Each structure stands twice: as C-alpha cells, then as structure tokens.
Amino acid sequence: MGRQPCCDKENVKKGPWTVEEDRKLIQFMLMMNNEPCRWRALPKRAGLTRCGKSCRLRWKNYLRPDLKRGQFSEAEEELIIDLHSRLGNRWSKIATSLPGRTDNEIKNHWNTHIKKRLIKVGIDPVTHEPLRPSTGGIDKASSENTDGDRDASTNSNDESWDLSFQDDGDAGLSSAWDEEYYQEAVLVVDVEELDGLIDFGDGGVGEQNSDVSVDGGENSTALESYERPINVDGSRFNK
DNA sequence: AAGCCCCCCAACCGCCTCGGC
DNA sequence: CGCCGAGGCGGTTGGGGGGCT
C-alpha cells in the first residue's frame, strides 16, 4: 500500500530558504505563539510553498528565538560526550540537556568535530572504549583514517592533546553572531504590525480562521519580542 | 590567479512512534 | 485491536566556501 507522502512533492519548493520564506514562517509562528496547530497545514496558511516537515525543521533548527548557536563550549562538548556514552545516537535526548542547542546541531558537531577528536585521542566514538588498550595513546591507524582533515593536522603534537579539547583557534563568537555581521544582517519583524498583515478573524491570535495568510511585505521596523539574524541575501550563516 | 580538494552544516529522506478513531 | 495520519528522529546528502597547490 505504501505511506502517503507528507506533501505533494511536485508543487513543493526545496533547497535553501530565502529571507522572504523565513520572514513568513517567523511571522506565522509569532502569530501562533510559537506553537503551530499542525505542521502539515502550516505552509498553506503561512503562504509558503514548502513541505510542512521542511517548515518544522527550519523553525526548530534555525529560526526558533531561543536557539543559542555559535561555538560549542568545552563544557557543552564534555556533556555531549558524557551523554553520548550513555544514550548513544539519541540526539534529541542529548539536545534536551543542552538548552538552546538542536539535535541537528549536536549531531553535526559530533560527526564533524567530536568524533574525530575522540578517534585522535584513541577512543572509540561508538563504544567510548580505548581503541587500542595497550598502545596507551593515539591509534595511528585511526588517526590516518580521519581522511586527512585539517583539524587533525593542526593537533598532531599529541603531548598537548587531551580530552578537554583545546580550541582549534576559532574561539569566541561564531561568525554568524559576529557583532558587525549582526548589524547588517539582523531581520526584524514588527509584531505590532502583524495585525495589519494577517486576518485573524474574530478569534484573535491562535484562533484564526483558515483564510489566514501572511504578506511578507516591507514590514521590518522596530522589534517588540523577536529578533533573529538572517543573512540579508538569504544565505545561511556559514563562515 | 586559477583550479582543485575537502570540510562543514543546512536541509532532505525515509522510517519510527504515538495518539486518535 | 488495528488502521491511519501527523510529528519526531536519525542517517545522509550536496552545495558553499575556505585552504592548498
């Protein structure tokens, strides 16, 4: 029989989100007090041509106002390792212990940084056991298995390498939250103007009728309760 | 200066779980 | 109890961009 697809793939936009799409989603979520009724119904009501799942991911992993973003602290990394040793790849569970971090973010950080570092210090990232108990240190084979990444090469002096994970040199604010960048890229949504954009009907916020739509016009003035930096060109926060 | 390589991470995909009926 | 729909989760992908040759 097969599962019904979550959306009509023919008429659904994919790929990176644009500023306008973000704006529409943010406005809609603000209107709903950050609690959408049904994700599958959201795109239509928010005026988006995205799959509901895609909207959910975008909001949860990127637009949510309580996200921390930026570099993981040493304490956070240690906590992730500890939780991973007990929970395994249950990223969402791990994420619940790291406020402001998403499961996707933690998963990416694990796969791109922590995993490699554990291997480098001779610890199996899956079992958290020493890779070679008798070698008492770096597993050469494993080190060579890290496909020659740049991180590894910068830390080849293993005398100074321990589980506290010395910084790779890019400490401090991530580029995404760099002050100067923030100044040019911050997206401001004027909550007070939402009434002018959205027809709530008589029910008010949270009780709007199905005709609700969002007009992503030029409504970027003062901010009352929401500020998220979004690249002005709609690109992501990459360095 | 140009081209190549490779890392990073946002986003997608498919399966799983849960709740309503 | 089984079915179905919706959200959640974890694995994977692929494009952007920085570093290297």
Side-chain angles (χ1 to χ4, degrees):
Chain A
M1 214 159 67
R3 174 180 292 268
Q4 188 185 4
C6 73
C7 51
D8 180 5
K9 294 193 191 314
E10 295 293 313
N11 301 313
V12 163
K13 186 173 181 293
K14 288 164 70 174
W17 280 64
T18 65
V19 171
E20 202 54 40
E21 288 175 314
D22 281 340
R23 195 197 305 271
K24 286 181 179 180
L25 182 54
I26 290 166
Q27 287 177 342
F28 189 81
M29 294 303 292
L30 285 171
M31 188 182 82
M32 303 296 289
N33 292 325
N34 295 354
E35 290 179 13
C37 46
R38 287 159 75 185
W39 286 108
R40 200 169 285 209
L42 183 147
K44 195 178 173 190
R45 299 174 71 179
L48 292 161
T49 53
R50 292 274 179 174
C51 166
K53 222 172 176 178
S54 178
C55 295
R56 182 185 146 269
L57 262 294
R58 182 64 177 175
W59 176 257
K60 189 162 158 276
N61 292 334
Y62 204 80
L63 298 175
R64 241 171 51 200
D66 59 323
L67 289 181
K68 193 186 282 182
R69 306 196 67 83
Q71 284 292 303
F72 278 76
S73 68
E74 223 170 80
E76 283 178 313
E77 291 196 339
E78 282 169 13
L79 181 58
I80 291 169
I81 293 164
D82 178 48
L83 291 169
H84 186 273
S85 69
R86 288 184 278 139
L87 299 169
N89 292 355
R90 295 197 174 91
W91 305 114
S92 59
K93 289 268 184 291
I94 293 172
T96 59
S97 299
L98 286 113
R101 301 293 188 185
T102 70
D103 52 356
N104 202 40
E105 195 178 8
I106 293 167
K107 178 173 58 182
N108 280 333
H109 191 69
W110 175 269
N111 286 328
T112 57
H113 295 102
I114 301 177
K115 201 162 137 184
K116 289 175 185 174
R117 289 173 177 180
L118 283 176
I119 290 169
K120 192 157 170 42
V121 297
I123 293 174
D124 187 330
V126 178
T127 63
H128 293 260
E129 299 289 329
L131 282 164
R132 293 232 187 121
S134 60
T135 56
I138 307 308
D139 184 290
K140 195 165 195 304
S142 298
S143 284
E144 288 168 356
N145 258 350
T146 57
D147 57 309
D149 64 278
R150 288 192 287 273
D151 283 358
S153 63
T154 59
N155 290 295
S156 54
N157 180 3
D158 299 316
E159 298 277 359
S160 59
W161 184 247
D162 62 21
L163 271 179
S164 65
F165 291 162
Q166 298 158 6
D167 201 290
D168 278 335
D170 49 357
L173 277 175
S174 75
S175 58
W177 291 88
D178 176 81
E179 187 62 28
E180 185 182 342
Y181 182 83
Y182 184 87
Q183 294 291 341
E184 354 175 325
V186 67
L187 171 72
V188 180
V189 178
D190 182 0
V191 179
E192 289 179 358
E193 288 187 17
L194 285 175
D195 269 347
L197 298 171
I198 299 160
D199 173 17
F200 290 100
D202 292 342
V205 173
E207 285 293 315
Q208 73 279 32
N209 60 38
S210 59
D211 291 327
V212 164
S213 64
V214 175
D215 171 21
E218 304 290 320
N219 294 285
S220 303
T221 54
L223 172 68
E224 185 183 32
S225 65
Y226 191 97
E227 282 192 10
R228 286 292 299 165
I230 290 175
N231 291 8
V232 286
D233 62 354
S235 61
R236 41 190 166 159
F237 285 119
N238 287 349
K239 296 172 203 156

